[in-house]
Amino acid sequence: MNESDVFRALSDPTRRAVFDRLLSGGKNATELREGLEISQPAVSQHIAVLRGAGLISEERAGRHTNYSVNPDGLKPLFDWLARYRAFWPDRVERLKTLLKEMDQ
Amino acid sequence: MNESDVFRALSDPTRRAVFDRLLSGGKNATELREGLEISQPAVSQHIAVLRGAGLISEERAGRHTNYSVNPDGLKPLFDWLARYRAFWPDRVERLKTLLKEMDQ
DNA sequence: GCAATAGATAAGTGTATGCTTATCTGAAAT
DNA sequence: ATTTCAGATAAGCATACACTTATCTATTGC
């Protein structure tokens, strides 16, 4: 919800790995756990933190729960970063990338 | 230096306030402390965390030390966020702003 | 109904974090 | 030289975090 929650949620590498995994589409908790050498409750707790920060949303489907990236979740981060636009790297390159992407 | 350090450093509101204060130019530790109801060592410790994350750099000047934003410090954050470009808000508006800014 | 499965919650543990007061280092000024 | 000021470091403390094992809830399938 707020900046602190988002920054804190993303400060943990395992949590970033979980979040990253959702980039390729929604997944359930078991799928999110794959490859991570961590207990089931630990994943569940990480998911709770990400949800609490507004970064992911969930949809119950039977006995599975499907988690997906909340499109607005990163907004606090973008908003905060916008004030540091002066320090954005490779502005021109980034702009080109954006333009190219938008043409598609 | 790495993503975790940057996210963690910025997860603390006091530390963001200190960092924000540097946006309007370099400052020494006493100036950074102004308005914060916090002890001098606490500020010193926050500065150490920000420096450790590569977010600020320092320049000793007599018995003062001038701290300033490290222009490359936010790069890990930008790089990480670049992968989530699909979720960037107001892409067109942001692009316009960038263009306007670059024309100046 | 009953066993199996997905996931959350409880309780406990070691470590990290943010803060404090007290002290140290080093440069400035008199 | 000695006091003064900027800032770092030391030590201690309370709380937060990330993790574990054990247990609970809810849904599915037989």
Side-chain angles (χ1 to χ4, degrees):
Chain A
M1 272 332 205
N2 62 63
E3 289 165 359
S4 291
D5 288 341
V6 174
F7 276 118
R8 202 181 57 70
L10 295 174
S11 69
D12 182 83
T14 305
R15 218 139 49 209
R16 280 200 309 281
V18 167
F19 188 69
D20 284 358
R21 199 160 290 191
L22 291 177
L23 249 190
S24 55
K27 301 211 173 6
N28 62 43
T30 306
E31 290 169 327
L32 285 176
R33 189 184 171 197
E34 276 166 21
L36 300 179
E37 302 207 336
I38 207 180
S39 66
Q40 174 267 316
V43 175
S44 197
Q45 287 157 16
H46 281 309
I47 287 172
V49 172
L50 288 168
R51 181 166 13 91
L55 287 167
I56 64 177
S57 48
E58 65 189 53
E59 195 185 353
R60 188 85 190 240
R63 73 177 150 184
H64 288 254
T65 305
N66 203 267
Y67 303 97
S68 52
V69 173
N70 175 11
D72 296 330
L74 290 172
K75 190 166 188 311
L77 211 51
F78 289 117
D79 289 347
W80 184 85
L81 271 174
R83 299 163 48 211
Y84 294 92
R85 198 175 287 137
F87 302 105
W88 288 23
D90 311 317
R91 283 165 65 190
V92 180
E93 278 309 302
R94 190 167 298 279
L95 180 59
K96 281 182 190 163
T97 308
L98 252 176
L99 284 169
K100 201 179 298 172
E101 198 184 356
M102 292 173 71
D103 279 341
Q104 289 170 358
Chain B
M1 276 321 205
N2 61 63
E3 289 165 358
S4 292
D5 288 342
V6 174
F7 276 118
R8 201 181 58 69
L10 294 174
S11 70
D12 182 82
T14 306
R15 217 138 51 207
R16 280 199 309 280
V18 166
F19 188 68
D20 284 357
R21 199 159 290 192
L22 291 177
L23 249 189
S24 56
K27 301 209 173 9
N28 63 43
T30 305
E31 290 169 327
L32 285 175
R33 188 185 172 197
E34 276 165 22
L36 301 178
E37 303 207 335
I38 207 180
S39 67
Q40 173 267 314
V43 176
S44 198
Q45 287 158 16
H46 281 309
I47 287 172
V49 172
L50 288 168
R51 182 165 15 90
L55 287 167
I56 64 177
S57 48
E58 65 189 53
E59 195 185 354
R60 188 87 191 237
R63 73 176 150 184
H64 288 254
T65 306
N66 203 265
Y67 302 96
S68 52
V69 173
N70 175 12
D72 297 329
L74 290 171
K75 191 166 188 308
L77 212 51
F78 289 117
D79 288 347
W80 184 85
L81 271 173
R83 299 165 47 213
Y84 294 92
R85 199 175 286 137
F87 301 105
W88 286 24
D90 311 317
R91 283 165 65 190
V92 179
E93 277 309 302
R94 190 168 299 278
L95 180 59
K96 281 182 190 162
T97 309
L98 252 176
L99 283 168
K100 200 179 297 172
E101 197 183 357
M102 291 173 72
D103 279 343
Q104 288 169 359

